[in-house]
Amino acid sequence: QVQLVESGGGLVQPGGSLRLSCKASGNIYRSYDMDWYRQVPGKQREVVATSTYMNKFDYSAAVKGRFTISRDSAKHTVDLQMNDLRPEDTAVYYCKQEIWRLGHDLEHYWGQGTQVTVSS
């Protein structure tokens, strides 16, 4: 099986920074797309940043220029550096990885979520 473990959330003041990390472990042959999402109560989960195996990165309009996604495919990790945080960035952040295990089809796995709260 595969597990995704996230870390790095917390409480930060507006204008501050946080770095989220997500590591997959288990019987993994290769990680493909590695993405970050966020969700606030009562709203749909939304994509924040995406990364492909070929190191193509993309961002939602809400975070472009402030957040940076990075990955280490060999270590099955994906990070999200969040700068100039705003109260509207408050959410539970989830990582998602597209993983290939030998003998299995490509599968999507989600982290458990980490709370980010931006408040003074």
Side-chain angles (χ1 to χ4, degrees):
Q1 263 291 12
V2 172
Q3 277 194 319
L4 268 59
V5 177
E6 302 170 17
S7 60
L11 172 64
V12 65
Q13 292 188 340
S17 298
L18 281 175
R19 187 176 184 89
L20 306 182
S21 294
C22 171
K23 181 172 177 60
S25 62
N27 188 20
I28 301 168
Y29 181 73
R30 185 171 291 167
S31 296
Y32 286 92
D33 290 356
M34 296 184 182
D35 307 322
W36 284 96
Y37 287 71
R38 68 186 182 187
Q39 188 171 24
V40 298
K43 289 193 174 182
Q44 276 194 326
R45 193 170 295 186
E46 64 174 7
V47 63
V48 173
T50 62
S51 73
T52 70
Y53 184 72
M54 299 304 291
N55 286 323
K56 179 180 176 182
F57 307 105
D58 204 0
Y59 301 90
S60 69
V63 307
K64 201 164 191 175
R66 301 186 296 122
F67 291 11
T68 303
I69 189 171
S70 59
R71 59 184 285 159
D72 186 330
S73 297
K75 294 182 180 178
H76 312 298
T77 60
V78 58
D79 291 351
L80 186 69
Q81 177 66 41
M82 305 185 293
N83 298 329
D84 188 24
L85 282 159
R86 305 168 181 170
E88 54 265 36
D89 295 318
T90 296
V92 177
Y93 284 71
Y94 298 89
C95 69
K96 185 180 79 170
Q97 293 195 25
E98 189 177 51
I99 287 172
W100 183 22
R101 297 187 290 154
L102 288 178
H104 294 263
D105 294 332
L106 206 56
E107 298 165 309
H108 290 158
Y109 291 89
W110 289 89
Q112 80 281 8
T114 185
Q115 177 70 46
V116 171
T117 303
V118 185
S119 175
S120 54

